[in-house]
């Protein structure tokens, strides 16, 4: 079976596209100032994408395990199986690195005091009013986003304390 017809390579290409998009979003996340609505949104998006890609890689790994039981039936050899395992292992590491970094938060915004400041932030002349960012959105969207932001910050605080 040619690589163009092999389902492994079709799925691998789709997963690689997802990983490339994940990396691009991750680099955008790194450039966004901490504690902003945009960072909260990107964090949620990145973590959800990490979970999705990890699931896809796990499913591909299961297919490799099935093929490993009888490689000749699937027209592949041990070298090809090892190459496929190496690719899924590498993909899993890339996703885990993004997830770990995003989960830990940015270095500058990962301290308990920074999280506490963000949770206790009140609009004043020196701090931009977060509602200005959401003025084009409905109040429900704003409340949901703020709730998600606070939950993320609380989870980061809990992980920092443990």
């Amino acid at each position: 079976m040619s690589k163009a017809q092999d389902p492994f390579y079709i799925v691998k290409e789709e997963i690689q596209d997802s990983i490339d998009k994940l990396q691009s979003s991750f680099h955008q996340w790194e450039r966004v100032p901490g504690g902003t609505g945009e960072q909260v949104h990107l964090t949620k998006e990145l973590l959800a994408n990490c979970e999705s890609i990890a699931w896809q890689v796990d499913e591909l790994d299961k297919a490799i395990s099935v093929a490993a039981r009888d490689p000749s039936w699937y027209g592949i050899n041990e070298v090809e199986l090892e190459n496929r395992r190496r690719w899924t292992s590498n993909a899993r590491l890339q996703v885990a690195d993004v997830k770990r970094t995003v989960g830990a938060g940015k270095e500058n915004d990962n301290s308990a005091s920074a999280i506490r400041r963000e949770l206790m932030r009140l609009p004043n002349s020196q701090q931009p009013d977060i509602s200005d960012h959401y003025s084009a959105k409905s109040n429900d969207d704003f409340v949901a986003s703020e709730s998600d932001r606070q939950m993320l910050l609380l989870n980061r605080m809990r992980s920092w304390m443990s």
Side-chain angles (χ1 to χ4, degrees):
M1 180 182 309
S2 74
K3 286 185 177 186
Q5 296 173 332
D6 189 332
F8 171 84
Y9 288 100
I10 295 168
V11 173
K12 174 187 170 188
E13 186 175 323
E14 291 173 4
I15 294 173
Q16 187 60 56
D17 286 345
S18 295
I19 290 172
D20 293 344
K21 289 175 187 171
L22 178 75
Q23 293 288 345
S24 176
S25 294
F26 175 68
H27 293 307
Q28 181 182 357
W29 178 86
E30 289 179 310
R31 291 187 300 271
V32 172
T36 63
E38 183 180 3
Q39 185 195 33
V40 172
H41 172 75
L42 280 171
T43 298
K44 286 173 50 177
E45 182 180 305
L46 283 166
L47 292 175
N49 288 340
C50 284
E51 292 299 320
S52 176
I53 295 168
W55 178 83
Q56 293 172 25
V57 172
D58 287 345
E59 291 300 306
L60 192 57
D61 230 3
K62 289 176 189 175
I64 293 168
S65 294
V66 169
R69 290 185 203 139
D70 190 3
S72 62
W73 173 260
Y74 296 97
I76 56 177
N77 59 30
E78 287 300 321
V79 172
E80 178 63 19
L81 283 169
E82 186 54 36
N83 288 338
R84 292 176 183 202
R85 288 183 187 115
R86 190 175 309 114
W87 186 87
T88 57
S89 177
N90 183 40
R92 192 174 284 109
L93 286 173
Q94 289 178 61
V95 172
D97 286 346
V98 170
K99 185 176 181 181
R100 183 178 51 253
T101 302
V102 171
K106 289 188 172 182
E107 288 179 24
N108 295 340
D109 202 35
N110 199 27
S111 69
S113 60
I115 293 169
R116 194 177 306 103
R117 274 195 314 273
E118 180 62 22
L119 285 170
M120 301 305 292
R121 182 171 56 144
L122 297 173
N124 64 31
S125 61
Q126 294 177 343
Q127 292 178 315
D129 186 355
I130 193 73
S131 64
D132 289 346
H133 176 74
Y134 294 97
S135 62
K137 294 183 176 190
S138 72
N139 189 43
D140 290 340
D141 289 344
F142 173 73
V143 170
S145 176
E146 284 299 294
S147 175
D148 291 345
R149 181 180 67 84
Q150 289 177 1
M151 288 303 295
L152 177 67
L153 290 167
L154 285 171
N155 287 337
R156 285 173 46 196
M157 179 85 152
R158 284 185 193 118
S159 68
W160 178 81
M161 293 176 76
S162 53

